[in-house]
Amino acid sequence: METVPPQTAQVALDDVTKEYDLGGTVRALDGVDLTLEPDSYTAVMGPSGSGKSTLLNLVGALDTPTSGGVFVAGEEVSALSERDRARLRGTEVGFIFQTFNLMPRLTAVENTALPLVFAGWSPDRRRDRAADLLSRVGLGDRLDHQPNQLSGGQRQRVAIARALAADPSLVLADEPTGNVDTDTGADIMRLLDDLQADGNTVLLVTHERRIATHADRIVHLRDGQIERIEEP
Amino acid sequence: MADGSMPLREVRRLAWRAITAHRLRSVLTVLGVVVGIGSVIAFATFGASVQAEVVSQFQGTGASEIYVTPGGEDGGPPGEDFTRPAFTTHDVGELRDIEGVQAVVPRGIVPTSSVAFGGQTLARSRMTATTEAAFSETVLVSGRAFRAGADEIVVNEAAATLFERNLTVGSTVTVAFGDRTQNVTVVGIVSGTRGSVTPTFAGGTPRFYLPADPFYRTVVESPTLGVDQRAYPQVTVVATAGETESVKRAVEASLQADSDAAQLLPPDTEIGVRSRSDIVEGVQSVIDRITRFVTGVAVLSLIVGAFGIANIMLVSVTQRTREIGVMKAVGATNREVMALFLAESVTLSGAGALAGIPVGLGVGYAATRYAEVGFTIAVGWIGIAVGIGLVIGVVAGLYPAWRAARVDPIDALRYE
């Protein structure tokens, strides 16, 4: 498992432990070693409480480990300031959430371009980039619609476009098909498959085996530890 | 890692989006600030207007008049010696001899009980005793000044219309002094007098003027001459135009040296010698203090507006926790989140300040119309009000913005 040193891997977790203080100490991750190589497609499966979300938050630099090292794009997340972690999320990581998490009052283009606002892009460049991405996910005719004017599947495609806006090397998807119907879910999964084909590293968290089989590897988590890694 | 950061223009744009998303709520919050800023400006404007009006009334005439009273230091309140009859006829004569003095007008009080005309009797507790020097050509509306020693009376316009039948020159009125009555002839009607501290807008008060000789009976023994003389509590010296300051100094010197007043008054009593401009300054500072106090009270309503902003911003942070989480997930730093919310609260308070200016000026203008004084804009206070408005936006927004910056994106994104 330790075949790729942290510096060259897209993501590397080195003996990562994460504990939460919820009245008593809860160990959400317990000594996890995991490496995501560039251009890989990995799914994480496990029952609820197994540590899937914690793993995703750490890889996405939203959180820092209690012990061990998390390396994303060559940076050790714990060593970064709050500001630099925000920048890392903005430029290297694209998030896709189960509940879409779009800004309700912004249009599809504005939602897609949001990471570029914080990255300091000019309005014209942002709009061009966002319109281009929305066309790629099949929403070229919905640019100025607000989320409440879009279907669930369309919202998730806006979210995918947003995840790609800053051209991140790593895309994290947390149950991306959890809130859409089966047919739409299939469309969403085709888009994620395309992402890997375009050279992105994809990490997918799901509890559905049918979804997980899109990945090259399936990491099974249980009680905060890696139970086994499956390569279907 | 690319090190971009959000330009101020984007901060403003996003803040504006958030504000316009809740129009009614934002407008009501802004109204709180408008009321605060508006009242500050309204009170300050009204204060400045009243001040300008009063000062112009005082300055209107008598720039060359010097008021002499017992007691009362520079600008300070007059003490109990204020009404003490200390200036004798001898002192009045000495003052008239000073170079540059046009006239010296002594004033005293004649106690009366009533005044009757045309079968109508009105209670009247006092009349003013003075000399004919009090009536210059400019104040005489009709008739002439009374003559010393004659049974004559001069009244102002308000007094002339006091009775059912108007008093005219030649009317005879009956004045009761205690249990003694005397008929006197109205010889003049005036708009005011020379040597009265009262500004022209107080002209609505009826006044009756009697010649000191023979009606003024307050006498003291002149220490200088050793004989009884009429003594007055107040004397006005009218200086030749342009010589007010030098005459004022000469009057002070004359009274302090060996006047009867200096010897009659208790040793620690100063004799107040004030020119019209001294009095204007005093009045100005009093109105200024009142304006500052009232405007200060209005500033309290601004604080209420500040709480309104803080309240709505806290609600906004709570409602938008999830959005804050999203912004952080896509690369917003804590500082940028904080800047967004601060910009929002400063925009609310700034809008309130801007809208409060015309509102305050409008209310202030209405108040000056109602009080029938001229309209003067207090420019300084407008600047202060806008400054306070913006500071309030920062102060009221600081805690909510700090709360927003501290939102944990992991919790926020799970937030349903």
Side-chain angles (χ1 to χ4, degrees):
Chain A
M1 231 161 41
E2 288 288 311
T3 50
V4 182
Q7 288 74 18
T8 58
Q10 184 57 48
V11 174
L13 277 69
D14 178 17
D15 193 19
V16 167
T17 296
K18 180 68 187 179
E19 290 173 347
Y20 293 107
D21 189 13
L22 305 168
T25 302
V26 176
R27 184 165 289 194
L29 284 182
D30 186 2
V32 170
D33 291 303
L34 182 67
T35 305
L36 305 184
E37 292 178 43
D39 200 15
S40 64
Y41 192 168
T42 308
V44 177
M45 284 191 74
S48 58
S50 60
K52 302 192 299 284
S53 297
T54 305
L55 179 72
L56 202 70
N57 291 337
L58 288 170
V59 172
L62 283 170
D63 210 348
T64 50
T66 309
S67 70
V70 177
F71 298 85
V72 177
E75 304 272 0
E76 183 174 5
V77 174
S78 302
L80 297 175
S81 66
E82 177 276 327
R83 186 171 176 276
D84 286 339
R85 270 194 287 139
R87 295 286 173 249
L88 182 72
R89 290 195 293 271
T91 56
E92 297 293 335
V93 182
F95 286 95
I96 301 166
F97 304 96
Q98 177 177 359
T99 52
F100 322 137
N101 281 329
L102 298 178
M103 304 288 266
R105 290 182 301 271
L106 300 187
T107 64
V109 164
E110 288 167 331
N111 264 296
T112 304
L114 193 62
L116 307 178
V117 171
F118 299 109
W121 286 40
S122 74
D124 286 348
R125 275 184 73 206
R126 287 204 308 258
R127 192 180 162 84
D128 290 349
R129 169 77 177 159
D132 180 43
L133 286 167
L134 286 169
S135 301
R136 274 169 57 188
V137 299
L139 291 176
D141 55 344
R142 295 281 189 277
L143 298 185
D144 295 315
H145 287 54
Q146 292 195 336
N148 59 12
Q149 298 168 309
L150 298 172
S151 70
Q154 288 171 330
R155 290 183 207 183
Q156 192 59 300
R157 280 187 278 168
V158 173
I160 291 173
R162 178 180 67 190
L164 300 177
D167 197 18
S169 49
L170 177 64
V171 174
L172 306 179
D174 185 4
E175 303 277 10
T177 59
N179 274 23
V180 295
D181 61 57
T182 314
D183 286 348
T184 312
D187 290 342
I188 301 292
M189 290 318 293
R190 264 196 296 281
L191 281 169
L192 288 182
D193 294 347
D194 291 346
L195 290 186
Q196 187 206 9
D198 290 346
N200 290 285
T201 307
V202 180
L203 180 65
L204 170 71
V205 166
T206 182
H207 62 272
E208 284 185 76
R209 180 156 187 91
R210 189 173 48 78
I211 300 296
T213 51
H214 281 262
D216 303 330
R217 283 196 305 172
I218 304 174
V219 175
H220 292 268
L221 274 182
R222 181 174 290 278
D223 298 333
Q225 293 183 321
I226 294 177
E227 194 179 42
R228 65 194 167 90
I229 294 180
E230 178 188 359
E231 302 201 2
Chain B
M1 186 163 42
D3 185 43
S5 68
M6 184 169 53
L8 195 60
R9 170 170 44 84
E10 299 294 340
V11 175
R12 281 202 304 261
R13 203 180 58 86
L14 283 174
W16 183 247
R17 290 291 287 259
I19 287 169
T20 50
H22 298 280
R23 276 198 189 81
L24 182 62
R25 192 171 89 178
S26 301
V27 166
L28 289 176
T29 309
V30 166
L31 273 182
V33 181
V34 169
V35 169
I37 301 267
S39 4
V40 169
I41 292 180
F43 282 120
T45 303
F46 186 60
S49 302
V50 169
Q51 188 172 18
E53 180 80 12
V54 170
V55 166
S56 79
Q57 295 272 15
F58 270 105
Q59 279 171 334
T61 55
S64 55
E65 289 172 3
I66 295 154
Y67 307 93
V68 182
T69 51
E73 288 91 63
D74 294 329
E80 60 184 36
D81 295 314
F82 191 59
T83 52
R84 188 185 281 249
F87 304 102
T88 61
T89 312
H90 168 72
D91 285 349
V92 172
E94 294 284 305
L95 291 175
R96 194 176 288 131
D97 289 342
I98 292 171
E99 202 187 322
V101 170
Q102 259 188 7
V104 179
V105 183
R107 295 162 68 87
I109 288 162
V110 180
T112 59
S113 46
S114 66
V115 57
F117 173 65
Q120 193 186 357
T121 304
L122 300 175
R124 185 85 206 164
S125 67
R126 53 165 60 181
M127 292 187 180
T128 306
T130 182
T131 64
E132 51 187 302
F135 309 109
S136 58
E137 285 300 317
T138 51
V139 298
L140 271 169
V141 177
S142 63
R144 56 167 174 86
F146 51 56
R147 295 198 180 92
D151 293 336
E152 294 175 343
I153 192 167
V154 170
V155 299
N156 72 353
E157 289 168 305
T161 56
L162 207 54
F163 297 92
E164 277 169 25
R165 217 145 50 77
N166 282 356
L167 293 175
T168 55
V169 172
S171 304
T172 300
V173 297
T174 308
V175 181
F177 306 93
D179 48 6
R180 191 175 60 85
T181 64
Q182 182 158 6
N183 288 341
V184 291
T185 308
V186 176
V187 294
I189 295 172
V190 294
S191 60
T193 60
R194 213 182 207 179
S196 163
V197 197
T198 329
T200 46
F201 63 73
T205 314
R207 291 192 195 283
F208 296 85
Y209 305 97
L210 291 167
D213 172 22
F215 293 99
Y216 189 58
R217 288 156 188 270
T218 306
V219 292
V220 296
E221 189 188 309
S222 160
T224 314
L225 302 176
V227 296
D228 281 356
Q229 286 202 320
R230 287 195 172 85
Y232 305 91
Q234 191 195 338
V235 176
T236 304
V237 178
V238 183
T240 311
E243 291 184 34
T244 313
E245 279 310 305
S246 65
V247 169
K248 182 185 158 190
R249 280 193 297 277
V251 167
E252 276 170 345
S254 162
L255 288 172
Q256 260 141 32
D258 49 3
S259 65
D260 285 346
Q263 296 172 63
L264 285 167
L265 288 168
D268 55 340
T269 307
E270 274 189 51
I271 295 171
V273 178
R274 298 182 195 82
S275 65
R276 184 66 84 148
S277 65
D278 293 337
I279 291 172
V280 167
E281 270 171 35
V283 169
Q284 219 162 355
S285 93
V286 168
I287 296 178
D288 201 40
R289 266 178 261 177
I290 294 173
T291 303
R292 264 186 274 171
F293 172 75
V294 174
T295 309
V297 173
V299 169
L300 289 181
S301 66
L302 256 182
I303 293 172
V304 175
F307 279 114
I309 291 186
N311 184 29
I312 220 65
M313 289 306 298
L314 279 176
V315 169
S316 181
V317 169
T318 308
Q319 282 182 341
R320 279 148 64 196
T321 299
R322 197 186 178 85
E323 291 180 35
I324 296 167
V326 173
M327 288 195 287
K328 287 191 168 186
V330 302
T333 63
N334 289 354
R335 267 181 64 176
E336 284 165 340
V337 171
M338 186 147 178
L340 278 175
F341 280 85
L342 265 185
E344 209 175 311
S345 102
V346 171
T347 304
L348 289 175
S349 73
L354 282 184
I357 294 173
V359 169
L361 288 177
V363 172
Y365 180 77
T368 57
R369 290 300 88 179
Y370 178 72
E372 296 179 349
V373 298
F375 180 62
T376 307
I377 293 177
V379 180
W381 272 102
I382 293 178
I384 291 171
V386 171
I388 292 177
L390 293 179
V391 168
I392 273 175
V394 173
V395 171
L398 215 48
Y399 176 68
W402 179 78
R403 282 266 297 262
R406 273 176 37 107
V407 162
D408 181 352
I410 298 169
D411 292 338
L413 292 170
R414 215 181 300 150
Y415 190 94
E416 293 292 338

